[in-house]
Amino acid sequence: QVQLVESGGGLVQPGGSLRLSCVASGSIFSIYSMGWYRQAPGKQRELVAIITNINRRNYADSVKGRFTISRDNAKNTVYLQMNVLKPEDTAVYYCTLRGATGDYWGPGTQVTVSS
């Protein structure tokens, strides 16, 4: 079965940067779209960014120009570079693999932006 593990979360000050990583196992990674979602307490889970198997990228309006999604197929890894972080970016960030018959999710990594 597909397994996803996120890493790279932590506490940063407003204006700072973090790079999240997600390693996938149990799949032919390169043929699938990958994504990042986030969820803050009391809020709905929202799409942050998607990268397809041919490296097409889409971003939520709230993160355009600040976040960059990328992938390294040789390492079965997808990244989310987050710059100019804002307090409203605080959330648990989840990695997603869009499988043939459904989506797979990682356990999440906490990102906190606070002074």
Side-chain angles (χ1 to χ4, degrees), residues 25-73:
S25 62
S27 71
I28 306 173
F29 179 81
S30 64
I31 70 173
Y32 298 115
S33 292
M34 302 290 298
W36 288 95
Y37 286 72
R38 66 186 182 187
Q39 187 168 26
K43 304 293 184 180
Q44 67 182 28
R45 185 173 297 185
E46 64 176 347
L47 174 68
V48 176
I50 293 287
I51 184 166
T52 73
N53 62 314
I54 57 171
N55 286 322
R56 300 290 188 182
R57 297 169 171 86
N58 290 284
Y59 298 93
D61 288 342
S62 59
V63 307
K64 284 181 179 177
R66 300 188 298 121
F67 290 12
T68 303
I69 189 171
S70 61
R71 65 194 298 162
D72 185 339
N73 290 336

Side-chain angles (χ1 to χ4, degrees), residues 57-107:
R57 297 169 171 86
N58 290 284
Y59 298 93
D61 288 342
S62 59
V63 307
K64 284 181 179 177
R66 300 188 298 121
F67 290 12
T68 303
I69 189 171
S70 61
R71 65 194 298 162
D72 185 339
N73 290 336
K75 296 182 178 180
N76 282 8
T77 301
V78 62
Y79 304 95
L80 186 68
Q81 178 67 47
M82 305 185 295
N83 298 325
V84 197
L85 282 161
K86 305 174 180 179
E88 51 263 44
D89 295 318
T90 296
V92 177
Y93 283 70
Y94 298 92
C95 177
T96 302
L97 182 151
R98 296 189 179 274
T101 60
D103 296 342
Y104 296 86
W105 296 84

